[in-house]
Structure formats: C-alpha cells, structure tokens
Amino acid sequence: MAVKRPTSLDIAAMVGMSQTTVSRALSQSPLVNDETRRRVMDAAKTMNYKVDSNARKLRSKKIHTLAVLISEDLDKSDNPINPFFLPLIGSILKYAGQKGYDVLISLQQQSDDWGTDYGFSRRADGIIFLGCKDYQSYTHKFEYLNEVGDPWVVWGVDRPDCAKLCIGSDNEGGAYAAVRHLINLGRTRIAYLGKSSIEHPEFKERYEGYCRALKDAGLPIEDALHADVFLEREEGVAAIDTMLDDGIPFDAVFAATDLLAMGAMQELIRRKVRVPEDVSVMGFDDLWVCSSLSPSLSTVRQDTEAAAKALIDGLSCLIENEPVHVTRMPTRLVIRESCGGLNLKRH
C-alpha cells in the first residue's frame, strides 16, 4: 500500500499554525520569525516531509502549463460536476492548445486545499477555478494564492475583493430577457427556481434579472413563487411538486439552471400539466440535451467558447503582469418548444 506523502497542511495541523505560515517557513520567508521557522522545520523533519527542490526552482520560470480546478457541485458520487462545465472545459482545452499551453485538470472536493499545492509547487503557471457550490469559502481559500502572488482567475464569482480576475456571463441580463419573453407571451405568474443569496452570486444575479423583469412589467414579486433550490434536476422536481400540492397558481417557470428546468418540466408532465399550453418553462445554460427533450427546452445560452478565451487570455495577462479587467460575456435567448410562442422568436 502506498504511503501518503505528508503535506504542509499536515505540518500545520501538527504545530497548530496556519498553512500559510507553514508554507512561508518552509520557503525561508523573512516574514516568519526564527522560533516559528524552527518549530515548522522540526515538525517537517519528524514527519519526513521533503520539499520538491526541482519544482521550487521552477518558481521563477514559465512552464507553459495551466491548471483547471473544478469544484464538486452536485451531491452525486458518480457525477459530481456541474454539466455546464463540460463544454467549457472542452473549449478551454482547445483554446489553451492553440495558445501553446498544456492543461492540468483536477476535481476539487470541498475538503481540499483548493489550489495551494499548484501555486506553491509551481505545477502550473496559473490557475482557473470553476465551481459554484462553495463560493463563500473562496475568500479564505484564495488568501494564500494572493499572498504569494500566484496568477489565478475564477469563473462566475463577482468578488473583486478576493479575486484577481472574475470572468462570467451577463446573468442578470440573460435572466431579464428570458422573463420578459415569458411576460410577452402573456404569462403573469412566473415561478423562479434557484438560489438568490450572496453565497451564490451567479444565481443571485439571475434572480435579480427575474425581479427586474417583473417590476418593469408591473407584476408583483411573490415569495410563494420562489423555490429556494440549488442546481440538481431532483430539486426542480421537488419544487414543482410542492407548489402543485400547495395549490400555488403559476403559468410559467424560470429556472436558474437547465437541470432545474428539466426537473420542473418532468414533474409538470407527470402531474398532467401541459407544457407549454398550461405552463411555460425556461432554463439557463443551454446544455446539449436541451434540444433533445420533448418538448425541447427554451433557455439562455452561455457562450463557452468566448468564456474559455476570456479566461485563458485574462490568465495569460496576469502571468505576464499585464493589466486585466473583469469581463461579462453576453448571453443569448434560445427559444424552443417548452415556453411556446415559437412564432414570436426563433434561434
């Protein structure tokens, strides 16, 4: 059986210090006093911790490798990755190859140290973070990378206080266009499925677009029409099941993700509610399966090719110490069968 190699986190736990302090001591940082450095080095010796000297020498060199770290978003052991990231990863790999970069890809569990190993050991010149379930934990997990100056970008998080560069879609604008389309079809009681809190900024922006569209149309924002669910198809099923059981009237559903919209449509059909005749359904993401459903799912498309280019170009600028800017990618409304009104708009 292979023996687990000790890490700086193991040393930190042993000496009762932060991982940042331990990393500084191991790298002989002048920010660490002699006594702290001695304690850390003694613990490292006890644990047979070895610093990778070859990797350390690479700190001042470019190795033309990028790391893509993906968070576990779904509570499924067999498929924990948000399916929206699959075409995005494909576009990243393609564009990175065109730019002369190799790419390392890693699935990061919630308990992982989220990238400090990549930055400290210089396994990559820069890091791209993808994920939305643990946004709130990003801030303290990124502190170490900020302190050591490692280049990194993050998809979707509008947090300039912690992120060096944020790239994301125009979530608010996309949601607004989707809900306005439903309103133009004559829908007046539109349910929202998804998160709306600051802990989930992408979904919060989509909820804000939903609210703005209702306000502009003179329609009320009703708590009863908001199902506070996260991402998975099963949560869309449960949300619609609850609304129908509680007798809450609605004639349209705008879901913050396609997975939620699929679950909503599935449950509506199972409960003998006609889609789109009785209830229109609209999602967000434009997963590949949307056009294969029956009825096919209307949605808001995020441009994964443009997103990949913005992420890699932005990260390249950070690696070269060039100025960068927060980027919001335009979205596009894709009208299919699930919301009706195909005669009004086609894509």
Side-chain angles (χ1 to χ4, degrees), residues 226-265:
H226 178 194
D228 184 27
V229 291
F230 179 57
L231 184 67
E232 300 188 43
R233 180 187 59 82
E234 292 81 2
E235 296 190 52
V237 170
I240 294 302
D241 197 40
T242 298
M243 286 186 178
L244 292 176
D245 286 346
D246 291 346
I248 298 170
F250 60 96
D251 56 15
V253 172
F254 171 60
T257 70
D258 286 340
L259 288 180
L260 287 172
M262 291 174 194
M265 194 161 63

Side-chain angles (χ1 to χ4, degrees), residues 37-175:
R37 184 179 296 105
R38 182 192 62 78
R39 288 180 57 197
V40 169
M41 299 308 292
D42 286 347
K45 183 177 181 180
T46 299
M47 300 179 71
N48 292 318
Y49 175 88
K50 302 295 184 183
V51 176
D52 189 341
S53 58
N54 290 327
R56 180 68 57 80
K57 291 176 182 178
L58 293 173
R59 286 199 64 86
S60 60
K61 300 178 181 179
K62 304 294 189 303
I63 58 175
H64 303 290
T65 300
L66 305 179
V68 178
L69 307 188
I70 311 158
S71 75
E72 257 188 336
D73 278 346
L74 303 184
D75 296 323
K76 298 177 180 178
S77 59
D78 59 332
N79 184 23
I81 300 176
N82 180 347
F84 167 71
F85 290 139
L86 300 180
L88 178 55
I89 292 168
S91 295
I92 288 173
L93 291 172
K94 181 179 179 180
Y95 188 61
Q98 294 172 0
K99 298 277 285 187
Y101 286 112
D102 291 325
V103 178
L104 301 173
I105 298 178
S106 176
L107 177 64
Q108 301 289 294
Q109 298 180 353
Q110 294 186 49
S111 59
D112 287 348
D113 197 33
W114 265 92
T116 55
D117 181 49
Y118 286 85
F120 186 67
S121 66
R122 296 311 284 178
R123 295 166 64 188
D125 293 323
I127 304 172
I128 297 172
F129 293 96
L130 307 178
C132 56
K133 190 167 187 177
D134 61 346
Y135 276 148
Q136 200 65 358
S137 66
Y138 274 157
T139 303
H140 76 267
K141 288 182 176 180
F142 288 159
E143 285 178 353
Y144 172 73
L145 292 178
N146 283 341
E147 288 182 3
V148 299
D150 285 313
W152 58 276
V153 299
V154 59
W155 168 262
V157 183
D158 189 10
R159 290 292 303 274
D161 57 323
C162 70
K164 291 189 174 183
L165 178 61
C166 307
I167 305 291
S169 290
D170 179 11
N171 295 292
E172 199 270 352

Side-chain angles (χ1 to χ4, degrees), residues 84 155 169 171 202 206 284-285 300-304 331:
F84 167 71
W155 168 262
S169 290
N171 295 292
E202 280 187 289
R206 295 172 194 180
F284 201 111
D285 283 338
V300 178
R301 176 175 296 167
Q302 301 193 76
D303 190 336
T304 56
T331 57

Side-chain angles (χ1 to χ4, degrees), residues 187-193 224-225 239-245 247-254 264 268 273 278-281:
R187 306 303 188 178
T188 59
R189 295 190 57 79
I190 304 171
Y192 172 78
L193 309 188
L225 292 175
I240 294 302
D241 197 40
T242 298
M243 286 186 178
L244 292 176
D245 286 346
I248 298 170
F250 60 96
D251 56 15
V253 172
F254 171 60
L268 286 167
V273 178
D278 299 325
V279 175
S280 296
V281 178

